[in-house]
């Protein structure tokens, strides 16, 4: 059994999760303090990939990054770099698809934060950077960790946008999801089912992790 699809899926998920972790936290923190109208408008734009069909997201990414697009054509002409049909091309699609999960979860955590703790830190002369990393983030860590785990799981199982941006090349761009589809399409149900079991096992582990984080959060809230 060739384990490349699993390893490729893991590295794509890890890279994209690392990016959306910081980007989602930064964006959520900035937007959480904005006026309601501005916040609602930005929410619609930033959360849209979460409700759009993955194939629509993939199509839009092809219009932006494909070799016929302005960006894709410029990269191909100036740097001889094609932004599609590489394993790392999937990172673009997984970032777009998973960002809303990280952003919404982090924003909810920041909005539930007791601002009197930050005000108390300011009266003690603490910098905003110190307050953010040493007071705000520890208080919101359960929600942020849950968002990170969900983003990783979503990236690991992404298919629609990824298949349109990277295709399926065994040993080069294959992921778990695209491998399952190709094996089913070619009639290799036995091997496809094995990959399904691998995906289910990973998903169960992820969901158990999220439940444990939520349980810890609830327990702490009850003790408080």
């Amino acid at each position: 059994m060739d384990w490349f699809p699993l390893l490729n899926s893991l590295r794509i998920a890890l890279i994209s999760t690392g990016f959306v972790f910081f980007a989602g936290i930064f964006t959520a923190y900035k937007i959480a303090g904005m006026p309601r109208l501005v916040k609602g408008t930005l929410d619609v734009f930033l959360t849209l990939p979460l409700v759009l069909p993955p194939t629509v997201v993939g199509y839009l990414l092809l219009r932006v990054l494909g070799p016929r697009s302005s960006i894709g054509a410029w990269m191909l002409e100036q740097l001889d770099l094609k932004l599609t049909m590489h394993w790392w091309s999937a990172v673009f699609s997984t970032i777009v698809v998973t960002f809303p999960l990280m952003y919404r979860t982090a924003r909810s955590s920041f909005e539930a934060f007791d601002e009197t703790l930050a005000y108390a830190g300011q009266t003690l002369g603490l910098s905003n950077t110190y307050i953010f990393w040493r007071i705000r983030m520890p208080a919101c860590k359960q929600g942020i960790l849950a968002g990170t785990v969900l983003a990783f799981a979503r990236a690991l199982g992404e298919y629609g946008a990824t298949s349109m941006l990277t295709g399926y090349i065994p040993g080069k761009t294959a992921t778990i999801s695209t491998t399952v589809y190709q094996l089913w399409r070619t009639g290799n149900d036995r091997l496809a089912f094995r990959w399904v079991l691998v995906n289910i096992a990973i998903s169960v582990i992820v969901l158990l992790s999220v439940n444990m984080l939520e349980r810890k959060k609830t327990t702490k809230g009850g003790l408080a």
Side-chain angles (χ1 to χ4, degrees):
M1 187 171 177
D2 180 16
W3 291 103
F4 176 83
L6 174 60
L7 299 176
N8 191 37
S9 296
L10 286 173
R11 67 176 170 180
I12 291 170
L14 287 171
I15 294 172
S16 58
T17 302
F19 179 87
V20 301
F21 176 81
F22 291 102
I25 288 174
F26 175 80
T27 307
Y29 176 65
K30 292 297 182 182
I31 292 179
M34 291 183 177
R36 181 175 298 180
L37 180 60
V38 178
K39 184 191 300 184
T41 303
L42 291 174
D43 265 354
V44 172
F45 176 75
L46 295 173
T47 312
L48 195 58
L50 190 64
V51 296
L52 284 176
T55 49
V56 173
V57 175
Y59 172 78
L60 294 175
L61 285 173
L62 282 176
R63 295 298 300 267
V64 175
L65 303 175
R68 295 184 180 180
S69 67
S70 300
I71 297 176
W74 186 87
M75 294 291 289
L76 192 59
E77 181 180 350
Q78 299 297 324
L79 303 177
D80 193 26
L81 180 63
K82 190 177 181 181
L83 298 180
T84 58
M85 299 304 161
H86 296 284
W87 73 264
W88 45 263
S89 302
V91 174
F92 300 135
S93 59
T94 51
I95 284 175
V96 172
V97 171
T98 61
F99 176 83
L101 288 171
M102 188 67 220
Y103 159 71
R104 291 302 293 253
T105 307
R107 204 201 76 188
S108 297
S109 297
F110 288 144
E111 289 177 342
F113 175 73
D114 185 1
E115 289 295 333
T116 57
L117 297 176
Y119 298 148
Q122 290 173 351
T123 60
L124 294 174
L126 300 177
S127 66
N128 290 331
T129 302
Y130 183 93
I131 292 172
F132 179 83
W133 290 109
R134 301 300 296 273
I135 299 176
R136 192 181 301 271
M137 284 292 287
C140 302
K141 68 178 180 180
Q142 298 298 333
I144 291 174
L145 286 175
T148 304
V149 174
L150 288 173
F152 175 79
R154 182 68 182 84
L156 194 65
E158 213 294 309
Y159 171 76
T162 297
S163 63
M164 295 188 69
L165 213 59
T166 67
Y168 174 77
I169 305 175
K172 292 185 177 181
T173 68
T175 63
I176 294 176
S177 299
T178 57
T179 298
V180 169
Y181 174 76
Q182 290 297 325
L183 290 173
W184 169 80
R185 191 176 66 85
T186 56
N188 194 343
D189 288 344
R190 183 177 180 180
L191 190 54
F193 185 67
R194 289 184 182 178
W195 280 115
V196 168
L197 292 178
V198 171
N199 212 343
I200 290 175
I202 296 174
S203 299
V204 169
I205 293 173
V206 168
L207 290 175
L208 288 175
S209 301
V210 173
N211 288 337
M212 289 177 64
L213 290 172
E214 290 295 329
R215 187 177 303 172
K216 288 182 180 179
K217 184 177 179 181
T218 303
T219 303
K220 288 184 178 181
L223 292 175

